[in-house]
Amino acid sequence: MSASRFAPPSPRPEIADSGLTRPDWVGNNPRDPGKLWLDKNENTDPAMIELVRSVIASVPADAGFTYPDLGPVYRKLAPMVGVPPQCLLLTPGSDGAIRAVFEAYIAPGDKVLHTVPTFAMYGVYARMYGAQVTGLEYRPSNAGPVLHADDVVAAIATSKPKLVGLPNPDSPTGTVFSQADLRRIIEAAGEGGALILIDEAYYPFHAETVLPWVMEYPHLVVCRSTGKAWGMAGVRVGYAAAHPDVAVMLHKVRAMYEVGALSAAVFERMLDHEDAMRESVARISAGKAHFLAAMDELGFQTLKGQGNFLHVAFGARAEAIHAALAPQVYYRKDFAEPCLKGFSRFSATTAELFNPVIEAIRDVVKGEGQS
């Protein structure tokens, strides 16, 4: 009997939407391990990589064949971030925390306000759950992308969203709002009856945080990643922090187990190494400053940003520099968005790892100067 006469039922209209597409999950080419990976804002600090490797090696074998017991992780994490365990939700990366917020609170037709450009999954989840999106556009300027707190507050009042998504720092822009501006924005969202999600995936590269404010503002959710500062992008652990009344709703939409036993075991052990994490952040931040100083010295426009990444505009030398760097490093060469047009983005790394990249760029500049 031929199976061709059978057809699956129709998916939800939001999923059938032709505008909702995802990258190819089979045909992607793996990155060359011989190159420096500065394209996805991972932690490439060799000391941190070695620490994560040793922690993974220390995980007992039973973590591979048992279901996770996550209570100890919640109890260990809570005092480190300054909220009760009942305020936390472990997730598969901060991406999982963002999805949990959408799944718990957004129904078809609800309004969502988020920055543009920003982390791609805000737009994906908005489509998945049928939201009406208002985009907060960063404007180009001589100093880089610009979005003022007054614009955010005004957009909240005008669009009356159910959810405001605001990464701080934002990506790919690297922009941040001050604590005073964040308080204004959070209070504007509360007055408008909206939930507000502050995405702190790059903490503590940008050390200011609003996470403890979740006990003050019941409509505030903060999410974090371990893929940046903690060097665990492959472990896929993140978390959300929220007032207990919101946290219990987020837990209602979680999977049977929030993260796997292997990931939980690595994360729990890594929490003993907070000092090492902060030392790695310091090394990478120093490397970022070193690279930026070299680019400034060569006369290129730079955007310093507040995440573990930076931007450089190579101008008329861009094509030659991209060709010179192609054999040794991955990075984002350019952006379609007007606020970042002409800029290349590099994930930050240590000064030692940046030095060959700097030298290759210097060689191009010297070579053109002699031609």
Side-chain angles (χ1 to χ4, degrees):
M1 180 181 295
S2 172
S4 61
R5 64 191 182 93
F6 298 109
S10 299
R12 290 190 295 113
E14 296 81 17
I15 303 303
D17 179 359
S18 61
L20 178 57
T21 60
R22 301 303 302 276
D24 180 8
W25 57 93
V26 176
N28 291 341
N29 294 320
R31 290 177 289 180
D32 181 351
K35 294 185 182 183
L36 183 58
W37 295 358
L38 301 183
D39 55 330
K40 296 185 179 180
N41 300 343
E42 298 145 329
N43 187 319
T44 52
D45 173 18
M48 197 63 181
I49 291 172
E50 176 57 26
L51 173 60
V52 174
R53 186 207 62 77
S54 65
V55 168
I56 291 173
S58 75
V59 172
D62 60 13
F65 63 82
T66 60
Y67 292 112
D69 177 9
L70 299 175
V73 185
Y74 280 106
R75 293 190 293 273
K76 191 171 186 177
L77 176 63
M80 294 180 65
V81 299
V83 297
Q86 293 76 15
C87 292
L88 297 173
L89 170 69
L90 293 172
T91 58
S94 57
D95 181 7
I98 298 165
R99 180 169 186 163
V101 169
F102 272 86
E103 191 167 1
Y105 283 91
I106 299 302
D110 285 342
K111 296 179 180 179
V112 171
L113 181 69
H114 67 71
T115 51
V116 178
T118 192
F119 178 46
M121 296 309 294
Y122 286 96
V124 170
Y125 292 140
R127 282 185 177 273
M128 282 174 57
Y129 294 102
Q132 299 179 26
V133 174
T134 298
L136 285 163
E137 296 272 355
Y138 285 98
R139 296 188 298 274
S141 78
N142 291 334
V146 174
L147 178 63
H148 296 296
D150 287 343
D151 298 327
V152 182
V153 170
I156 291 171
T158 301
S159 64
K160 297 178 172 55
K162 189 172 184 181
L163 173 64
V164 179
L166 192 66
N168 197 64
D170 212 339
S171 176
T173 61
T175 51
V176 296
F177 290 98
S178 69
Q179 296 289 91
D181 282 343
L182 285 171
R183 193 173 288 276
R184 286 179 56 213
I185 293 167
I186 291 167
E187 291 185 353
E191 289 166 1
L195 195 73
I196 181 164
L197 173 61
I198 304 293
D199 184 345
E200 294 185 348
Y202 292 93
Y203 179 84
F205 284 100
H206 178 63
E208 293 182 348
T209 177
V210 300
L211 192 150
W213 297 5
V214 299
M215 301 305 294
E216 181 180 356
Y217 295 109
H219 66 296
L220 170 64
V221 181
V222 177
C223 67
R224 286 186 183 168
S225 168
T226 62
K228 319 298 186 192
W230 287 95
M232 295 191 289
V235 178
R236 299 303 296 147
V237 175
Y239 56 92
H243 187 277
D245 291 347
V246 171
V248 72
M249 299 302 162
L250 300 182
H251 274 271
K252 286 187 177 184
V253 300
R254 75 175 191 228
M256 175 65 77
Y257 299 104
E258 301 92 307
V259 296
L262 281 168
S263 296
V266 173
F267 183 40
E268 183 180 1
R269 285 162 173 76
M270 283 296 296
L271 291 176
D272 293 329
H273 300 282
E274 184 178 17
D275 288 347
M277 177 273 288
R278 293 186 180 275
E279 290 167 3
S280 177
V281 167
R283 284 191 295 272
I284 291 172
S285 297
K288 176 179 174 178
H290 173 67
F291 186 79
L292 285 166
M295 297 302 101
D296 291 340
E297 181 184 348
L298 290 170
F300 297 121
Q301 183 184 2
T302 59
L303 303 178
K304 296 163 180 59
Q306 297 296 316
N308 67 336
F309 57 91
L310 55 96
H311 299 84
V312 184
F314 293 120
R317 295 188 172 98
E319 186 175 343
I321 289 173
H322 294 329
L325 295 182
Q328 63 174 288
V329 59
Y330 292 104
Y331 60 100
R332 177 76 178 266
K333 293 181 180 178
D334 200 356
F335 291 84
E337 294 83 359
C339 67
L340 287 172
K341 188 65 179 173
F343 282 94
S344 296
R345 186 192 69 190
F346 294 80
S347 306
T349 189
T350 63
E352 293 77 12
L353 289 176
F354 259 142
N355 279 334
V357 180
I358 294 170
E359 288 308 308
I361 296 170
R362 279 183 178 150
D363 287 345
V364 171
V365 174
K366 290 178 182 176
E368 291 195 351
Q370 295 169 358
S371 61

